[in-house]
Amino acid sequence: MKLLENKTALVTGAARGIGRSIVLAYAAQGADIAFTDLKVDDDAESLLEELKAMGVKAKAYASDASSFEGSEKLVEEVLNDFGKVDILVNNAGITRDQLLMRMSEQDWDLVIKVNLKSVFNMTKAIQRSMLRQRSGSIINMSSVVGVSGNAGQSNYSASKAGLIGFTKSIAQELGSRSIRCNAIAPGFIETAMTSKLAEDVREEWIKNIPLRRAGKPEDVANVAVFLASDLSSYVTGQVIQVCGGMNT
Ligand code: NAP
């Protein structure tokens, strides 16, 4: 028996990077998959083909998680198409790194809107159906810098720290209905988001990681499988750091 058989997962920002790995890991465990990205581009189409070849039901949706109305409409469509959502992964996120001295109001507002408000939008939109079915697992993608801060990322760190407060609050609000809410805080993971870093910055990060390597999207996806599955049925309100021991 696979870990996620008979479950439906909805994952935001999944055409690339960590979200894509999560979707593939969920499908490998038997879950049906609804995933979003800003556009259904070539990456999203190729992911869809891969998922269908794995024998699960899958559909890609173009949706901006930072839009309240867009999130409501998306959840309505997904519920119509799949009948239910058991697992919500709020993965979509962006960076606009800059020292506070040079950070614009627009870069502050955009990062908070895409990384934090999106989680409010999607969780609020899904909660009614999860309350009705009296079960659900919500997984929010935070970051180690949401736990410990990082110079040059005050907007991003604030959004990811805010998301931890949201996660713990929702775990307390919805726990009595068997709806769990946890956060994953990845460290330095090789994706498009981190490929912008200069080689010397990259080497400096890796020197400070006890496991002496950058993480792979699959390292995060494995923890997302655990949190989505019944293996974690007594785990809620927690932040699991997937960082090679960096934040120890
Ligand atoms: P990524 O490769 O940039 O992927 C993020 C995906 O989200 C992209 O496909 C992007 O679409 C999509 N997206 C952006 N804004 C969106 C929106 N408003 N609505 C829907 N989708 C949107 O990033 P990643 O490294 O996989 O990161 C995934 C999550 O992990 C993020 O929340 C990130 O903050 C977090 N994280 C990453 C790391 C790391 O080291 N990589 C570490 C800690 C936490 P486009 O490409 O079309 O813009």
Side-chain angles (χ1 to χ4, degrees):
M1 171 86 175
K2 292 177 176 173
L3 287 172
L4 302 178
E5 238 155 49
N6 303 318
K7 293 192 191 281
T8 300
L10 168 56
V11 184
T12 64
R16 289 166 274 285
I18 292 171
R20 187 183 185 97
S21 279
I22 290 175
V23 155
L24 288 169
Y26 282 1
Q29 291 299 333
D32 289 332
I33 305 289
F35 75 90
T36 79
D37 218 292
L38 287 170
K39 286 188 293 223
V40 178
D41 60 7
D42 289 350
D43 285 346
E45 294 286 6
S46 75
L47 176 58
L48 203 51
E49 290 313 307
E50 231 179 298
L51 292 169
K52 286 182 178 162
M54 292 167 89
V56 300
K57 179 173 172 178
K59 191 166 172 183
Y61 300 82
S63 180
D64 177 354
S66 74
S67 156
F68 184 79
E69 293 77 21
S71 300
E72 296 262 301
K73 188 167 157 281
L74 167 76
V75 167
E76 198 183 311
E77 268 183 62
V78 172
L79 288 172
N80 275 338
D81 293 340
F82 288 81
K84 62 173 185 144
V85 171
D86 304 287
I87 303 151
L88 168 65
V89 184
N90 288 310
N91 169 74
I94 58 165
T95 51
R96 289 293 182 275
D97 298 349
Q98 197 60 267
L99 292 173
L100 182 60
M101 190 79 80
R102 287 197 284 269
M103 188 178 291
S104 67
E105 185 187 2
Q106 286 86 341
D107 281 351
W108 172 271
D109 286 345
L110 183 66
V111 167
I112 298 294
K113 190 172 174 211
V114 173
N115 294 3
L116 182 58
K117 182 163 182 264
S118 63
V119 178
F120 160 78
N121 293 340
M122 290 297 299
T123 308
K124 191 165 166 65
I126 208 75
Q127 79 159 347
R128 200 171 309 122
S129 78
M130 284 189 172
L131 283 170
R132 224 179 291 121
Q133 72 200 21
R134 288 187 164 263
S135 68
S137 175
I138 300 166
I139 299 162
N140 296 324
M141 205 54 70
S142 182
S143 165
V144 288
V145 308
V147 177
S148 56
N150 194 25
Q153 290 197 303
S154 59
N155 51 358
Y156 183 77
S157 303
S159 71
K160 296 298 187 181
L163 200 148
I164 291 173
F166 181 84
T167 299
K168 289 174 182 282
S169 303
I170 296 307
Q172 292 178 35
E173 275 188 36
L174 302 184
S176 65
R177 307 291 179 92
S178 302
I179 300 164
R180 300 182 294 108
C181 185
N182 291 287
I184 298 177
F188 179 59
I189 310 294
E190 311 254 23
T191 67
M193 188 176 268
T194 46
S195 67
K196 299 171 208 150
L197 292 173
E199 194 51 38
D200 55 329
V201 177
R202 210 186 119 78
E203 277 168 18
E204 198 50 43
W205 273 79
I206 290 175
K207 240 195 315 189
N208 293 318
I209 298 173
L211 290 180
R212 292 290 184 277
R213 66 170 177 88
K216 297 189 289 290
E218 294 76 20
D219 294 318
V220 180
N222 288 334
V223 174
V225 168
F226 167 70
L227 288 176
S229 77
D230 295 340
L231 287 178
S232 60
S233 56
Y234 201 52
V235 179
T236 195
Q238 303 305 305
V239 182
I240 301 187
Q241 301 194 50
V242 184
C243 63
M246 185 167 73
N247 243 16
T248 304

